[in-house]
Amino acid sequence: MTQLVLDTPSSQVRRWLPRLVVAAGVGLLAVVVWALVFRSPARSSGAGGQQWVRVAPMDLEVKLVKDGELAAINNIEVVCEVEGSTTIQQIIKEGSNVKAGDVLVVLDSSAIRQKIEDTTIELQKAEADVTNARELRDIQESKNAADLEAAEVALTLAQLDLRDY
């Protein structure tokens, strides 16, 4: 499975987030103090020209927007090592999660199957030719042996005839 990571490490975001929250809280507190202390008396109401506001704790939502690009940690290049041109019959959708052993692409294999069948037929023909050649060799060897034996017998008879003459 391919994991994707942001170019900006998330550890930096985790490190700066608490500081940003504290800084925002301090800034909010400073604005409240400034508003209470330095308000103009003409707008103030209440005794002594001051207005008191009760402050209650609340959640402060902080949103960070950061430009970045996603990049794969483990990149696997898929290469088609089939000779010639092939036609894709089926392919999974881009961005799909896959596991080891999942079929990603189905290629048209009819041309390859035809080559395998042709090669198998050629192999069977060559094996038949080898068998035929061996049988013909055995026949020739046996004929040669018979001819040699006949020639030896003829030689022996001729030598006997020569001696008798």
Side-chain angles (χ1 to χ4, degrees):
M1 178 175 6
T2 303
Q3 297 177 350
L4 301 175
V5 231
L6 207 62
D7 283 346
T8 306
S10 61
S11 61
Q12 288 182 352
V13 172
R14 280 190 235 123
R15 187 176 56 211
W16 285 98
L17 189 61
R19 293 179 185 171
L20 185 61
V21 170
V22 170
V26 169
L28 183 62
L29 185 62
V31 167
V32 169
V33 168
W34 179 81
L36 290 175
V37 173
F38 296 106
R39 276 189 1 185
S40 76
R43 289 195 222 159
S44 65
S45 62
Q50 294 181 352
Q51 180 181 4
W52 295 93
V53 177
R54 199 173 284 264
V55 178
M58 64 180 195
D59 292 335
L60 180 64
E61 187 176 325
V62 177
K63 291 183 181 181
L64 297 176
V65 178
K66 175 67 181 155
D67 293 336
E69 291 184 20
L70 296 176
I73 290 177
N74 297 326
N75 219 6
I76 299 173
E77 189 170 324
V78 178
V79 179
C80 179
E81 296 179 355
V82 176
E83 66 181 50
S85 63
T86 57
T87 304
I88 296 175
Q89 289 183 336
Q90 181 182 3
I91 190 167
I92 64 167
K93 292 183 180 177
E94 186 176 339
S96 299
N97 290 329
V98 295
K99 299 177 286 191
D102 286 354
V103 176
L104 304 178
V105 177
V106 176
L107 300 175
D108 181 24
S109 61
S110 60
I112 295 171
R113 272 192 244 123
Q114 184 63 41
K115 282 183 182 180
I116 290 172
E117 289 173 6
D118 292 345
T119 306
T120 304
I121 290 171
E122 288 177 18
L123 176 65
Q124 290 172 350
K125 184 178 180 267
E127 288 173 345
D129 289 345
V130 167
T131 304
N132 189 27
R134 284 185 181 144
E135 289 174 356
L136 287 175
R137 183 196 67 198
D138 292 343
I139 291 171
Q140 187 65 43
E141 285 177 353
S142 116
K143 183 180 177 213
N144 289 348
D147 288 346
L148 180 62
E149 193 174 316
E152 287 175 352
V153 168
L155 177 64
T156 306
L157 288 176
Q159 287 174 345
L160 286 175
D161 285 343
L162 180 62
R163 198 174 25 169
D164 286 341
Y165 176 68

